[in-house]
Amino acid sequence: MAQQGTLYIISSPSGAGKSSLLNALLTKHNGAGKMQLSVSHTTRATRPGEEHGVHYHFVQVEEFKELIERGDFLEWAEVFGNYYGTSRAAIEACLAQGIDVFLDIDWQGARQIRELMPTKSIFILPPSREELERRLIGRGQDSVEVIKGRMEKAIAEMVHYDEYDYVIINEDFEQALFQLRAIIECQRLELRQQQQAQQNLLKQLLAE
Ligand SMILES: Nc1nc2c(ncn2[C@@H]2O[C@H](COP(=O)(O)OP(=O)(O)O)[C@@H](O)[C@H]2O)c(=O)[nH]1
Ligand SMILES: [Mg+2]
């Protein structure tokens, strides 16, 4: 049997740096092309700089509901008023080719996927409440109410940190990236993974 890729679930509140970490991981540390980020479907509006098919597949609510009906999603959830979903086809094809797939999804999606297949899940936390608040204030154009709302959403996500296999505190970006890579490296060295990856070597070494 060919080596199966690992399915990683990465969750965090907005402002913990998850996107930047995943971006750095996938662009700087993907030499063999063995890692891929899953592109979700969403009904939320496109933000400046976001591209259809790259950051998300942006769809209307009607279309999203049709995809649910058709059973195209491995999981889907309503996250703060918008629908988000992970399509099944792309993920299964990648894993079968031995590619590790990264899902940037919320705790609700994480729960659904864990029921369906083996995963390694990672929660990214900010280093302090003050720092999170500072990151959520962003460009400083938002009202106190808006920022308060973002903090509440962040906490609603963070309370689920203990459902995950690993927790990374993103204080220093490079350190957090190193830790993320360490988890992946470790997984690749697990007995079952190595038995598949090193089939030929093992056969050779153990021949009588
Ligand atoms: N369940 C689920 N959650 C998703 C999916 N795609 C993105 N999310 C989550 O939806 C939340 C909002 O994402 P986004 O609209 O990109 O805003 P962000 O807070 O700036 O990252 C984040 O927690 C994402 O991890 C998905 O396919 N399924
Ligand atoms: Mg995001």
Side-chain angles (χ1 to χ4, degrees), residues 40-51:
S40 294
H41 283 70
T42 183
T43 60
R44 83 149 159 76
T46 312
R47 295 177 191 154
E50 284 183 334
E51 247 181 272

Side-chain angles (χ1 to χ4, degrees), residues 2-8 25-38 91 93-102 184-185 187-188 193 196-197:
Q3 189 182 13
Q4 271 271 324
T6 299
L7 185 59
Y8 290 98
L25 178 74
L26 275 287
T27 55
K28 292 190 204 151
H29 303 285
N30 197 9
K34 285 287 184 192
M35 296 191 253
Q36 198 159 305
L37 192 62
S38 159
I91 289 177
C94 282
L95 293 175
Q97 289 171 57
I99 296 169
D100 292 340
V101 178
F102 293 80
I184 296 160
E185 208 57 41
Q187 172 66 17
R188 289 182 177 163
Q193 293 284 323
Q196 289 179 352

